[in-house]
């Protein structure tokens, strides 16, 4: 049963704004968001050059991925939001099937099975799910009466946790957390009752022990333990955290200067060009650089939420908010784990860390945001 | 709304809810960002000093730079010990994903035995984090190539270049030079830890041990910037090490080789001393071993084979072998007789082929007894007694001298004490005395024992080095050098220490030396077979040393005695007679016939006296130091 026929349309609140930006609207681009993203990604290239040991090759490769990712973003931005909404459940089913295929036909690397190989092209279905799960959640609630009733909440939780669970088993805790968060943000923005939220939190507190004992794998447990006491395993699991904290702390306010970070340039810092790139930035650019980066991130988040606030439909609102808040989770988890605030889970620093797939997913998400932001206003139709 | 069965979607309600949640989300965002700011602020500003110190300590490291070990040359500049670049296979455990898999892959690629893996695992437990642990030393070019090709499959596996001691002459100089090996726990206590902080190997025996301090040099230092793998990226400051001194020895590689070949497969020793300088020309002990096996640690299989061989290849017979000198000491005892004026050179002794002490039934049979029952004749003089090695003469002489005077006189020639040659583990032999017997045997001295000593048997023991040194003293007519192997330290000549001159009148020297000449050149000389074709005159003395004692009335039958129980064959001599240049002592264990030892000595004489001129005319054999320079450069860059 669809309720869309009963939906009352909202009058536009900002018709002047719409007229003023008609050029960008025709291109389906949000200029502010694009500007911020360009700022972030180009800064990311500069940091990456240093973090990769001054490898031009790494920067060129990342640049190539950026072109692909921006193209994907612009293409997604052209799609009509209504069509995205219609496609959401189909994409979800397809994504779920791909995820199920991973343990059967997948390729293993670094002790985890995350990749599918299709015609020589390797990709991670879990990355696609980062966009598909919030889409499916937004789709689900867009046709339900909000705030959601208990039954819908239970079904929506299944939508979230089936893929999240599959990904956690690959094992890829970082992606799993991001996907679960993106789905739960939709639920939260849809107005789930605080009663449920607090009950869930209470339940979580009670179930921490069984999760620890039975669900987490040894290496995941080790990461948490190491986080609590990195000194206990200085040269093993604690090495990463100690070295990254040293890198960050030694940067001070001013930093050691671009290309001059000893921790990163001398190879003390592991994964310096991927997950731990913020430590390179912190060491070479100092707290100034870190605050600047956070400011840009904050601007992106504010802009994303603004787009959600101005969206025409519940679907767009929920999706925009979820994508934006997930972006925050990226930033928080990555910066938190590198600085020793959180356990080390594989979450890249968004738009800065090296890695093609995450760039495409992230910018693809911003493509969705742009599609939502430039959707034709109902009243103008 | 909950009362309505079919709820209507209300965009305004939804927008209101969304806006409310947006505010909560905003707070959430603010708190998250604030947490991060606080965290980074505390790390970068509050604890900045702590982390800056930690970071500096991380990258700057003080490293010892080991000095290059001194080279060793023979007297003609032939290289005896050098340092060659050596490649070892090392593994940094932290960089290896699966150690077992890496090890089995390496075992597929190159030859690595279980022993090396066991040793590797032991080292792995006692190492610094991120330290490279050696798995296999002295890689071949082929192995290096195989590893390089497969490098992408072997993260954490590295091929390291270093300098390793190498003895190009192999087993020829193993005993005299000794060898270097890994510093053991005992040595760890005695060495200067600072000076050896970059050194893994230390001289274990011979010259390598005796001159360890000079050869080693002094350690240098460098402040280096390293990465987490300990790889040096930049040298910030460097104090160069002071390389060890190059040693030039009195040894002559050619003579050494001839002596070694002359001994052949026999167990034996040859020591040759330059009578004019006291320098040791050759010091051979056979069988020998390849000293290169010990460099970088000998495998237990190789070591077991050397240790358990009944021929005792590790035993340096020239310095550690203590043998009854037999008749080779007769010239010295004869000299003692003249010196103490017990006999004159003209004194004649009647030799019926046997000797008997007063008030003693025991018959002492001359060595000629098994050939003929008539002895050496009615009137045996000193000259004839030495030339024909007449036991009866020396029994009479020693009886009249008494053990005290024998002990006193022969001790001046170095018997019973270390010669003081610059090498390790030299034994002192034994020159028995009344006092010695009272202390060690708790018995009085018996006259019969004097007779045994009088022909170099009984309790008396001497090393080949002692025999050669004593012979050199005779050749020098009393001038007594402490034998010395080292000739030059870098360019500085090292003087050979001298001991008190033995004051004996020329007439007496002449008599003894004439006897020794007769040994070789006399018609009835006991070693006159070696005079053939000689371009110079020699003096010498044969000797056989009993390994087992023969009971009274028992015939000595070599045929029936196992090879190991046969007499040792000895010969000492010097040449040329008029102007002595070289004194040699040779022993062939169970060689039975002293003539065999004599012919070894003759070959050594020829090698030194005849080939010497040729050597000087030959193009200089100065070693090309290119390989060493290259090796040094390599080590520098490897660091």
């Amino acid at each position: 049963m669809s309720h869309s026929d009963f939906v009352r349309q909202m009058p536009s609140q900002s018709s002047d704004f719409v007229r003023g930006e008609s050029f960008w609207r025709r291109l389906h681009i949000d200029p502010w968001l694009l500007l911020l993203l360009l700022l972030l990604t180009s800064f990311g290239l500069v940091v990456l050059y240093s973090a990769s040991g001054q490898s031009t090759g790494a920067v060129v490769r990342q640049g190539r991925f950026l072109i692909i990712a921006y193209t994907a973003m612009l293409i997604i931005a052209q799609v009509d939001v209504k069509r995205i909404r219609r496609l959401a459940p189909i994409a979800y089913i397809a994504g779920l099937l791909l995820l199920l295929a991973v343990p059967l036909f997948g390729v293993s690397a670094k002790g985890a099975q995350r990749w599918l190989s299709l015609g020589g092209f390797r990709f991670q279905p879990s990355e696609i799910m980062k966009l598909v799960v919030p889409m499916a959640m937004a789709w689900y609630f867009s046709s339900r009466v909000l705030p959601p009733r208990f039954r819908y909440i239970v079904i929506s939780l299944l939508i979230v946790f089936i893929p999240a669970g599959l990904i956690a088993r690959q094992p890829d805790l970082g992606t799993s957390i991001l996907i679960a968060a993106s789905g739960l943000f939709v639920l939260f923005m849809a107005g789930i009752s605080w009663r449920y939220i607090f009950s869930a939190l209470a339940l979580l507190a009670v179930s921490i022990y069984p999760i620890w004992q039975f669900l987490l794998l040894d290496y995941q447990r080790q990461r948490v333990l190491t986080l609590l006491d990195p000194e206990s395993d200085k040269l093993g699991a604690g090495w990463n955290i100690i070295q990254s904290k040293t890198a960050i702390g030694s940067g001070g306010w001013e930093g050691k200067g671009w290309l001059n970070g000893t921790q990163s340039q001398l190879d003390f810092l592991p994964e310096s060009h991927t997950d731990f790139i913020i430590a390179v930035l912190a060491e070479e650019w100092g707290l100034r650089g870190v605050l600047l980066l956070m400011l840009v991130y904050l601007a992106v988040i504010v802009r994303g939420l603004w787009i959600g606030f101005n969206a025409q439909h519940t679907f767009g609102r929920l999706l925009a908010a979820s994508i934006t808040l997930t972006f925050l989770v990226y930033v928080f988890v990555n910066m938190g784990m590198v600085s020793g605030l959180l356990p080390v889970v594989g979450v890249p620093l968004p738009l800065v860390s090296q890695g093609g797939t995450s760039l495409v997913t992230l910018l693809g998400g911003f493509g969705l945001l742009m599609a939502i932001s430039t959707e034709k206003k109902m009243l103008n139709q | 709304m909950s009362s309505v069965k079919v709820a209507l979607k209300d965009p305004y309600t939804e927008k209101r809810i969304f806006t409310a949640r947006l505010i909560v989300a905003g707070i959430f965002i603010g708190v998250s960002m604030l947490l991060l700011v606080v965290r980074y602020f505390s790390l970068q500003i509050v604890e900045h000093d702590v982390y800056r110190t930690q970071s500096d300590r991380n990258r700057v490291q003080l490293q010892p730079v080991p000095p290059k070990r001194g080279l060793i040359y023979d007297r003609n500049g032939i290289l005896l010990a050098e340092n060659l670049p050596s490649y070892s296979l090392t593994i940094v455990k932290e960089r290896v994903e699966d150690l077992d898999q890496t090890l089995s892959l390496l075992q597929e690629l190159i030859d690595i035995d279980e022993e090396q893996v066991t040793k590797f695992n032991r080292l792995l437990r006692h190492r610094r984090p991120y330290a490279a642990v050696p798995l296999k030393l002295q890689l071949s070019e082929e192995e290096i190539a195989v590893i390089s090709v497969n490098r992408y499959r072997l993260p954490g596996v590295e091929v390291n270049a270093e300098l390793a001691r190498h003895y190009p002459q192999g087993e020829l100089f193993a005993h005299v030079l000794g060898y270097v090996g890994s510093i053991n726990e005992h040595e760890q206590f005695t060495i200067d830890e600072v000076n050896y902080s970059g050194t893994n190997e230390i001289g274990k025996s011979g010259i390598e041990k005796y001159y360890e301090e000079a050869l080693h040099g002094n350690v240098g230092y460098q402040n280096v910037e390293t990465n987490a793998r300990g790889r040096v990226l930049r040298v910030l400051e460097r104090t160069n090490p002071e390389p060890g001194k190059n040693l030039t020895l009195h040894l002559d590689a050619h003579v050494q080789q001839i002596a070694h070949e002359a001994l052949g497969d026999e167990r034996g020793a040859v020591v040759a001393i330059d009578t004019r300088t006291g320098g040791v020309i050759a010091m051979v002990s056979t069988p020998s071993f390849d000293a290169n096996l010990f460099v970088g640690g000998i495998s237990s299989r190789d070591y077991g084979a050397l240790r358990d061989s009944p021929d005792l290849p590790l035993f340096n017979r020239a310095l550690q072998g203590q043998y009854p000198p037999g008749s080779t000491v007769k010239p010295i005892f004869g000299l003692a007789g003249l010196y103490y004026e017990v006999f004159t050179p003209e004194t004649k002794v009647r030799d019926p082929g046997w000797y008997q002490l007063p008030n003693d039934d025991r018959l002492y049979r001359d060595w000629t007894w098994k050939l003929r029952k008539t002895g050496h004749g009615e009137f045996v003089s000193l000259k004839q007694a030495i030339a024909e090695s007449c036991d009866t003469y020396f029994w009479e002489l020693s009886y009249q001298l008494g053990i005290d005077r024998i002990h006193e006189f022969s001790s001046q020639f170095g018997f019973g004490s270390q010669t003081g040659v610059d090498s390790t583990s030299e034994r002192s032999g034994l020159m028995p005395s009344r006092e010695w017997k009272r202390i060690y045997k708790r018995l009085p001295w018996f006259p019969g024992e004097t007779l045994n000593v009088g022909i170099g048997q009984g309790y008396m023991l001497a090393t080949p080095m002692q025999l050669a040194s004593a012979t050199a003293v005779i050749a020098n007519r009393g001038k007594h050098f402490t034998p010395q192997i080292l000739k030059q330290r870098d360019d500085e000549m090292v003087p050979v220490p001298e001991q008190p001159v033995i004051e004996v009148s020329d007439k007496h020297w002449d008599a003894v030396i004439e006897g020794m000449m007769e040994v070789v050149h006399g018609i009835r000389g006991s070693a006159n077979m070696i005079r053939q074709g000689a371009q110079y005159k020699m003096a010498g003395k044969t000797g056989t040393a009993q390994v087992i004692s023969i009971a009274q009335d028992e015939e000595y039958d070599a045929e029936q005695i196992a090879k190991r129980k046969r007499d040792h064959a000895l010969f000492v001599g010097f040449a040329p007679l008029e102007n002595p240049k070289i004194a040699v002592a040779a022993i062939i264990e169970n060689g039975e016939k002293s003539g065999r030892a004599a012919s070894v000595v003759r070959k050594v004489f020829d090698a030194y006296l005849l080939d010497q001129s040729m050597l000087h005319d030959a193009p200089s054999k100065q070693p090309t130091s290119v390989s060493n320079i290259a090796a040094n450069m390599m080590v520098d860059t490897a660091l």
Side-chain angles (χ1 to χ4, degrees):
Chain A
M1 178 169 75
S2 167
H3 300 284
S4 56
D5 296 341
F6 302 95
V7 169
R8 240 162 73 185
Q9 301 303 332
M10 287 183 43
S12 168
Q13 291 175 322
S14 52
S15 44
D16 294 345
F17 179 80
V18 169
R19 267 195 297 277
E21 310 248 322
S22 59
F23 168 72
W24 295 107
R25 186 173 292 279
R26 264 201 302 281
L27 288 177
H28 285 261
I29 287 171
D30 185 284
W32 290 110
L33 193 54
L34 181 65
L35 184 72
L36 290 168
L37 292 175
L38 285 173
L39 204 64
L40 260 179
T41 48
S42 41
F43 185 50
L45 285 180
V46 173
V47 178
L48 180 66
Y49 178 68
S50 175
S52 61
Q54 305 176 25
S55 150
T56 323
V59 174
V60 169
R61 200 161 56 241
Q62 180 83 342
R64 225 178 275 142
F65 275 124
L66 275 173
I67 291 168
I68 295 170
Y70 273 112
T71 311
M73 180 185 86
L74 293 179
I75 290 170
I76 291 170
Q78 309 306 313
V79 185
D80 186 40
V81 181
K82 287 197 206 68
R83 178 172 288 174
I84 293 171
R85 180 170 166 260
R86 273 201 305 277
L87 281 172
I90 301 161
Y92 180 78
I93 300 291
L96 211 55
L97 289 176
L98 284 174
L99 266 187
L100 287 167
V102 170
L104 301 174
F105 314 106
V107 187
S108 294
K110 292 182 187 169
Q113 201 173 26
R114 302 172 185 171
W115 286 267
L116 269 187
S117 190
L118 279 183
F121 180 71
R122 268 166 124 211
F123 70 103
Q124 299 184 43
S126 54
E127 282 292 330
I128 300 170
M129 293 309 271
K130 281 180 181 171
L131 294 181
V132 171
V133 167
M135 272 164 65
M137 287 288 281
W139 163 81
Y140 185 74
F141 286 115
S142 67
S143 54
R144 302 285 181 280
V145 172
L146 301 180
R149 288 160 54 186
F150 184 70
R151 187 157 61 103
Y152 301 142
I153 292 172
V154 172
I155 293 170
S156 73
L157 286 177
L158 287 178
I159 294 175
V160 175
F161 283 109
I162 289 171
L166 285 172
I167 293 163
R169 283 176 60 90
Q170 283 180 350
D172 187 350
L173 198 58
T175 308
S176 174
I177 287 172
L178 288 171
I179 286 172
S182 69
L184 293 177
F185 281 136
V186 175
L187 189 56
F188 175 76
M189 297 308 286
I192 178 177
S193 153
W194 287 107
R195 204 156 39 107
Y196 292 133
I197 295 176
F198 288 125
S199 314
L201 287 176
L203 193 69
L204 188 71
V206 173
S207 59
I208 273 181
Y209 176 75
I211 287 176
W212 175 261
Q213 201 63 26
F214 304 114
L215 275 178
L216 292 186
L217 294 178
D218 264 351
Y219 87 102
Q220 292 165 335
R221 237 176 287 175
Q222 189 57 48
R223 281 179 180 182
V224 179
L225 284 178
T226 308
L227 170 88
L228 297 176
D229 184 17
E231 303 287 323
S232 67
D233 188 10
K234 269 192 172 155
L235 293 155
W239 171 268
N240 290 10
I241 293 170
I242 291 172
Q243 294 304 327
S244 65
K245 277 167 73 180
T246 307
I248 295 166
S250 65
W253 169 250
E254 296 200 342
K256 295 174 185 173
W258 188 52
L259 304 180
N260 283 328
T262 50
Q263 285 289 111
S264 41
Q265 300 298 329
L266 302 181
D267 253 6
F268 278 99
L269 197 61
E271 307 281 333
S272 61
H273 51 290
T274 56
D275 288 358
F276 280 70
I277 200 165
I278 184 70
V280 180
L281 188 148
E283 186 186 22
E284 299 189 347
W285 300 70
L287 186 58
R288 295 189 300 189
V290 174
L291 292 179
L292 187 75
L293 180 81
M294 287 177 70
L295 206 63
V296 181
Y297 278 138
L298 194 62
V300 169
I301 289 163
V302 168
R303 184 66 192 169
L305 292 180
W306 177 253
I307 288 169
F309 183 71
N310 285 312
Q312 301 290 307
H313 297 282
T314 306
F315 174 75
R317 257 198 310 268
L318 294 178
L319 184 57
S322 166
I323 288 171
T324 309
L325 289 173
T326 307
F327 186 73
L328 171 81
V329 172
Y330 264 100
V331 174
F332 183 74
V333 171
N334 180 273
M335 288 182 70
M337 78 182 195
V338 174
S339 62
L341 209 57
L342 296 172
V344 177
V345 289
V347 172
L349 187 65
L351 303 179
V352 177
S353 284
Q354 190 184 53
T357 358
S358 96
L359 274 184
V360 174
T361 336
L362 281 161
L363 286 180
F366 287 111
L368 288 174
L369 278 179
M370 288 187 180
I372 293 163
S373 81
T374 56
E375 191 190 3
K376 288 201 180 73
K377 300 294 175 192
M378 290 299 180
L379 289 186
N380 294 352
Q381 270 182 326
Chain B
M1 253 174 46
S2 56
S3 61
V4 184
K5 189 83 177 166
V6 177
L8 286 180
K9 276 184 81 70
D10 182 354
Y12 284 106
T13 315
E14 290 182 8
K15 177 91 188 182
R16 193 172 40 78
I17 293 169
F18 183 81
T19 310
R21 288 294 156 101
L22 210 53
I23 293 165
V24 178
I27 295 167
F28 174 66
I29 293 164
V31 169
S32 304
M33 285 298 194
L34 194 68
L35 261 173
L36 288 179
V37 170
V38 168
R39 179 64 180 172
Y40 279 76
F41 181 84
S42 87
L43 285 177
Q44 299 198 272
I45 307 296
V46 181
E47 295 179 86
H48 173 59
D49 288 342
V50 177
Y51 288 113
R52 192 182 52 199
T53 316
Q54 202 166 317
S55 163
D56 283 345
R57 215 176 34 225
N58 240 351
R59 63 194 181 95
V60 180
Q61 203 180 322
L62 189 69
Q63 278 192 341
V65 183
K68 193 195 79 159
R69 195 171 177 86
L71 307 178
I72 305 178
Y73 300 103
D74 91 334
R75 61 165 61 197
N76 297 311
I78 293 170
L79 199 54
L80 304 183
E82 61 187 327
N83 306 309
L84 287 185
S86 158
Y87 297 89
S88 58
L89 184 68
T90 61
I91 294 180
V92 179
K93 193 190 167 200
E94 282 77 3
R95 293 179 55 209
V96 179
E97 276 176 23
D98 184 342
L99 191 61
D100 291 337
Q101 199 189 321
T102 304
L103 283 177
S104 60
L105 178 59
L106 280 170
Q107 277 174 316
E108 280 170 35
L109 294 173
I110 61 173
D111 185 32
I112 296 171
D113 57 36
E114 281 309 310
E115 194 182 322
Q116 285 163 325
V117 175
T118 312
K119 194 175 177 190
F120 170 78
N121 283 326
R122 198 172 58 233
L123 288 172
L124 204 57
R125 265 175 265 135
H126 311 284
R127 99 225 131 95
R128 288 179 293 114
Y130 280 87
V133 178
L135 174 60
K136 183 173 187 174
L137 305 171
Q138 293 171 331
L139 296 178
S140 69
E141 303 249 328
E142 202 178 316
E143 287 169 330
I144 295 166
V146 169
I147 289 163
S148 308
V149 168
N150 290 283
R151 197 160 205 158
Y152 69 100
R153 296 158 72 190
L154 299 163
V157 174
E158 278 171 33
V159 174
N160 281 0
E162 60 216 7
L163 286 178
R165 200 65 156 168
H166 180 247
Y167 305 101
Q169 310 280 342
E171 63 169 26
L172 202 51
F173 288 88
H175 288 115
V176 57
L177 289 183
Y179 50 85
V180 296
S182 308
I183 298 171
N184 64 28
E185 259 174 66
H186 174 69
E187 286 154 347
Q188 202 82 52
F189 283 110
T190 56
I191 57 171
D192 175 0
E193 261 183 61
V194 174
N195 200 18
Y196 279 80
S197 49
T199 310
N200 298 320
E201 305 220 297
I202 191 168
K204 293 284 183 180
S205 68
I207 292 292
E208 290 276 28
K209 183 177 183 182
Y210 196 87
Y211 292 109
E212 171 63 29
E213 201 183 323
L215 285 167
H216 180 264
N218 287 312
V219 73
Y221 286 98
Q222 57 185 8
N223 257 321
V224 291
E225 200 167 88
T226 61
N227 64 11
R229 293 160 202 164
R231 176 159 292 173
V232 175
L233 298 178
R234 194 158 40 140
V235 176
L236 302 173
E237 189 188 347
R238 183 176 163 122
T239 313
N240 282 324
E242 192 185 306
K245 291 195 159 55
N246 292 341
L247 304 184
T248 302
L249 308 180
H250 283 288
L251 293 174
D252 185 316
H254 176 65
V255 178
Q256 179 91 358
Q257 189 182 348
I258 294 295
H260 189 85
E261 285 168 5
L263 285 173
D265 296 333
E266 301 286 350
R267 284 166 285 114
V270 172
V271 175
I273 291 174
D274 188 326
T275 54
R276 296 161 300 180
T277 62
V280 177
I281 298 165
M283 187 164 100
V284 176
S285 173
T286 58
S288 187
F289 59 93
D290 184 358
N292 292 308
L293 287 176
F294 284 86
V295 180
I298 187 167
S299 75
S300 61
R301 194 184 54 216
D302 284 344
Y303 186 70
L306 289 175
R307 184 194 53 208
D308 300 335
S309 164
D311 293 337
L312 306 176
L314 294 176
F315 183 62
N316 182 3
R317 292 175 162 79
L319 295 181
Q320 294 171 280
Q322 300 181 110
Y323 307 94
S327 307
T328 55
V329 287
K330 283 176 180 168
I332 292 163
F333 294 160
L335 195 64
L338 304 179
Y339 176 79
Y340 291 110
E341 293 172 350
V342 174
F343 283 4
T344 66
E346 290 76 34
T347 306
K348 302 279 196 295
V349 172
R350 182 179 160 269
D351 175 21
W354 51 267
Y355 183 78
Q356 206 168 15
L357 279 173
N359 310 319
D360 191 342
D361 291 341
R362 183 181 162 130
L363 278 182
Y364 292 84
R365 293 201 182 88
D366 191 279
W367 65 273
T368 55
W369 191 255
K370 60 189 170 187
L371 304 174
R372 54 182 191 266
K373 308 284 191 226
T374 55
H376 294 275
E378 279 293 312
F379 308 101
V380 179
S381 67
L382 176 63
K383 190 169 120 185
Q384 188 190 352
I386 292 175
E388 297 175 23
S389 200
C390 174
D391 287 342
T392 309
Y393 179 95
F394 284 97
W395 279 322
E396 178 62 28
L397 174 64
S398 52
Y399 172 67
Q400 294 194 31
L401 270 172
I403 187 63
D404 298 332
R405 288 194 284 193
I406 290 175
H407 176 84
E408 184 192 11
F409 190 77
S410 48
S411 293
Q412 296 182 74
F413 285 78
F415 290 106
S417 57
Q418 294 179 344
T419 61
V421 67
D422 46 353
S423 190
T424 53
S425 53
E426 186 189 9
R427 297 254 180 98
S428 53
L430 179 59
M431 189 65 233
S433 65
R434 281 179 212 281
E435 201 186 4
W436 168 84
K437 199 176 174 203
R438 200 184 65 237
I439 294 170
Y440 291 95
K441 300 274 178 185
R442 298 186 177 282
L443 284 169
W445 188 264
F446 302 117
E449 291 166 341
T450 309
L451 298 197
N452 283 337
V453 171
I455 58 164
Q457 305 268 13
Y459 296 121
M460 187 176 179
L461 294 172
T463 65
M465 176 56 77
Q466 285 175 327
L467 290 175
S469 174
T471 308
V473 175
I474 299 172
N476 279 334
R477 292 166 181 257
K479 191 174 177 184
H480 189 174
F481 291 106
T482 298
Q484 186 165 293
I485 301 167
L486 181 66
K487 185 181 183 189
Q488 255 172 271
R489 206 183 275 118
D490 277 345
D491 291 330
E492 167 212 355
M493 291 296 294
V494 182
V496 177
E498 281 186 50
Q499 294 183 22
V501 174
I502 298 164
E503 301 287 352
V504 178
S505 74
D506 273 345
K507 208 179 88 181
H508 295 162
W509 284 119
D510 287 342
V512 169
I513 290 170
E514 202 178 327
M516 289 176 76
M517 186 267 286
E518 286 285 313
V519 169
V520 179
H521 298 280
I523 296 163
R524 296 178 68 184
S526 57
N528 64 8
M529 67 293 249
I530 68 163
R531 72 182 160 175
Q532 253 182 350
Q535 297 168 31
Y536 48 87
K537 283 203 155 185
M538 306 162 251
K541 183 70 196 80
T542 54
T544 48
Q546 280 177 14
V547 177
I548 52 165
S549 57
I550 300 155
Q552 279 280 24
D553 304 320
E554 191 184 333
E555 292 282 306
Y556 175 87
D557 189 345
E559 292 291 323
Q560 287 174 8
I561 296 171
K563 167 99 172 144
R564 296 268 162 176
K565 292 177 178 172
R566 290 177 194 165
D567 289 352
H568 295 326
L570 294 99
F571 189 82
V572 299
F574 61 87
L577 181 69
E578 301 79 11
N579 177 26
K581 289 178 179 167
I582 180 171
V584 182
I587 178 164
I588 297 175
E589 284 185 14
N590 313 115
E592 201 177 356
K593 291 188 167 59
S594 57
R596 297 177 64 193
S599 70
V600 169
V601 172
R602 165 73 199 274
K603 283 175 188 157
V604 174
F605 284 163
D606 280 358
Y608 188 64
L609 298 173
L610 304 182
D611 297 349
Q612 208 179 17
S613 52
M614 283 160 55
L615 255 182
H616 287 310
D617 297 338
S620 168
K621 281 195 183 173
Q622 279 297 331
T624 49
S625 47
V626 174
S627 65
N628 284 296
I629 293 166
N632 279 344
M633 282 166 57
M634 256 186 38
V635 164
D636 282 349
T637 49
L639 286 171

